[in-house]
Amino acid sequence: MSLAVDDAAWASSWRRRSALDKLLLCGGLVVCALALPAWPGSLLVGLTVLVLALGPAGVPARTFARAVRWPVAFIAVGAVTAVVSVDGGGLGWAPDAAARAGSLVGHALAGSAAVLLLACTTPMSDLLPALQRMRVPAAVTEVA
C-alpha cells in the first residue's frame, strides 16, 4: 500500500520544479504564517497555499484534505488546552481565550498547510539531496 501524499508528490505538476525552489516557497509561507498577525495573515497564507496546491501544483483536493485532517485534530486539542486556566478556583477559561485560540489555530493551520504543500509536491527522494546541497547536517537528513 502506498502513501497518498507520496503519490500526489510524484504525480504533481510541480514534480520537475527544483526542490530548492519549493523549499524556499514553502519555507517562506511558513515564516509568513508565523510572523504575520493571525488575522488576516494566517488566512491569506492558508488561502495562498490552497490556491497553489489545488491549482498550479495539481494536488487532488481529496488528498490534501485527508493529509490535513490529523494536523487539524492535533491543533484543535492544542487550542483547547491553551485556553483553559487553572487557578485556586479550579478550571476555567483564560481571560483572552477566544483571541488566544484564534491566533493559535490560525498560525498552526497556515503553517501546517504550507508544509503539506511541500510534502504533496516534492518526493522525499528529491528533497533529501536538496537538503544536502543546502549543507543541512548529515545527521538531520539521515533521520529524515
Side-chain angles (χ1 to χ4, degrees), residues 20 23 127-141:
L20 292 174
L23 271 168
L127 190 58
L128 294 177
L131 291 173
Q132 290 171 340
R133 284 192 300 275
M134 293 174 59
R135 302 198 194 295
V136 172
V140 174
T141 58

Side-chain angles (χ1 to χ4, degrees), residues 1 23 70 75 114 126:
M1 179 181 278
L23 271 168
W70 287 111
I75 292 165
D126 292 347

Side-chain angles (χ1 to χ4, degrees), residues 1-124:
M1 179 181 278
S2 63
L3 299 173
V5 170
D6 196 45
D7 290 342
W10 283 98
S12 170
S13 54
W14 282 6
R15 167 70 176 87
R16 297 286 177 217
R17 289 188 180 267
S18 165
L20 292 174
D21 290 347
K22 291 182 277 188
L23 271 168
L24 182 63
L25 170 68
C26 295
L29 287 168
V30 168
V31 168
C32 288
L34 297 175
L36 294 173
W39 175 257
S42 296
L43 178 66
L44 293 174
V45 170
L47 288 174
T48 300
V49 168
L50 281 176
V51 167
L52 291 173
L54 303 179
V59 178
R62 181 180 167 131
T63 300
F64 199 78
R66 290 185 72 204
V68 81
R69 70 180 169 187
W70 287 111
V72 166
F74 183 76
I75 292 165
V77 170
V80 169
T81 60
V83 299
V84 172
S85 173
V86 180
D87 57 15
L91 290 175
W93 296 112
D96 58 344
R100 185 183 298 183
S103 178
L104 174 74
V105 168
H107 289 297
L109 282 178
S112 297
V115 171
L116 285 172
L117 175 63
L118 178 65
C120 288
T121 59
T122 311
M124 285 299 286

